[in-house]
Amino acid sequence: MKEDISRRPRADKACRPFYRISIDMIQLQEHREVCYNGDVWALHAVCEYTKFYKICTLRNRHKATVVPALIRLINKIERVYGYQVAIVFMDGDVGYGRAEANLGSSAQEELSSASIKVEIRSPDTPAQLGGAERAGAIIVTAARVIRIHAGLPKALANELICTAVRLLNVTPTKALGWRTPQEMVTGVRPDLSRLHVIGSRGFLLNKHLLRGDKLEKRTFEGFFIGYDASNIY
């Protein structure tokens, strides 16, 4: 039987940043393997209008973990960028789409109570969530290339996938007229002067040396793996 996928454009197409976001989960590690801090999953969102990515890493995909993370992600969008999310498009995953018995409300119920419309894709039709699926593939590909080029271990997958998202948000995109997603959201071209090669050597000042230990090394040596902010590495 041939599968037919509707290509009709949305009737309520997004007309501003974060009007509609699509969310999905990314598995970071194989079964029984975890990142250095215990993370295994990543929850990511992509803005339909600006192609801007947001991501957070999680230790599991249980509803008690995923739903608060999704709410925090949406609240951060509103707090940092000043845009209110109107529609969230997701699949019917147990973690955030459906309510589980005796485990509190689902993400759908939480978002609806905050006057955010929730759109659920039809069962067994992942193509309907194509925006988030493609975004996930782009993020994973970028993180993989970064890891291989830098020669870093897979245990740092959670850090590298967040770094990939930050770099994608400041990368010119053809669909946006070669503007960056960050520029579409903020109206300002991103400052790329603080970008560094992932995997390059870095040195951290050791502030806990004993006063009399004059010949001990003054720094810890490490490798650059990402950003906490524009000038915090």
Side-chain angles (χ1 to χ4, degrees):
M1 182 179 295
K2 183 179 179 181
E3 180 182 16
D4 291 328
I5 301 173
S6 175
R7 302 297 182 185
R8 289 180 299 175
R10 296 181 182 274
D12 56 342
K13 194 172 181 179
C15 56
R16 63 165 176 83
F18 300 112
Y19 177 80
R20 177 189 282 107
I21 63 172
S22 299
I23 64 170
D24 201 10
M25 301 285 290
I26 298 174
Q27 185 175 354
L28 301 177
Q29 295 285 357
E30 290 294 333
H31 182 58
R32 295 184 179 179
E33 294 184 7
V34 298
C35 297
Y36 75 96
N37 65 344
D39 287 342
V40 181
W41 294 88
L43 172 68
H44 74 94
V46 58
C47 171
E48 178 185 293
Y49 184 76
T50 64
K51 317 302 180 189
F52 191 88
Y53 301 96
K54 293 295 292 182
I55 196 167
C56 62
T57 55
L58 309 170
R59 296 198 171 192
N60 56 63
R61 61 184 305 179
H62 300 157
K63 188 173 64 175
T65 302
V66 175
V67 173
L70 175 58
I71 300 302
R72 288 195 301 270
L73 187 148
I74 292 175
N75 290 339
K76 186 175 181 179
I77 289 173
E78 297 178 357
R79 183 178 68 254
V80 175
Y81 303 107
Y83 292 102
Q84 185 172 6
V85 176
I87 302 173
V88 174
F89 190 32
M90 64 175 73
D91 61 22
D93 186 85
V94 173
Y96 45 79
R98 302 196 302 267
E100 299 175 41
N102 303 321
L103 287 179
S105 58
S106 67
Q108 184 175 359
E109 294 169 346
E110 291 282 351
L111 295 174
S112 297
S113 66
S115 301
I116 298 175
K117 182 180 178 181
V118 178
E119 297 177 344
I120 304 293
R121 73 166 174 84
S122 303
D124 303 319
T125 53
Q128 289 186 351
L129 199 62
E133 297 285 353
R134 287 192 301 274
I138 292 170
I139 293 170
V140 169
T141 300
R144 183 192 308 123
V145 171
I146 291 171
R147 188 197 72 80
I148 294 173
H149 181 267
L152 296 172
K154 293 181 182 178
L156 294 174
N158 57 329
E159 300 288 351
L160 296 175
I161 207 159
C162 292
T163 299
V165 165
R166 177 175 286 272
L167 294 177
L168 288 169
N169 283 336
V170 297
T171 300
T173 304
K174 183 178 180 180
L176 303 176
W178 297 113
R179 288 175 291 179
T180 67
Q182 182 172 317
E183 183 181 356
M184 291 290 292
V185 172
T186 64
V188 179
R189 287 188 177 183
D191 179 11
L192 306 182
S193 62
R194 299 183 185 275
L195 294 184
H196 299 279
V197 177
I198 306 300
S200 55
R201 294 171 65 192
F203 298 90
L204 177 66
L205 179 64
N206 183 359
K207 299 181 180 180
H208 303 287
L209 284 172
L210 298 176
R211 181 183 296 272
D213 203 355
K214 304 299 185 184
L215 300 184
E216 184 58 50
K217 293 189 299 183
R218 264 35 192 174
T219 59
F220 298 111
E221 183 178 353
F223 296 93
F224 177 64
I225 59 174
Y227 309 83
D228 279 340
S230 60
N231 60 346
I232 303 176
Y233 308 112

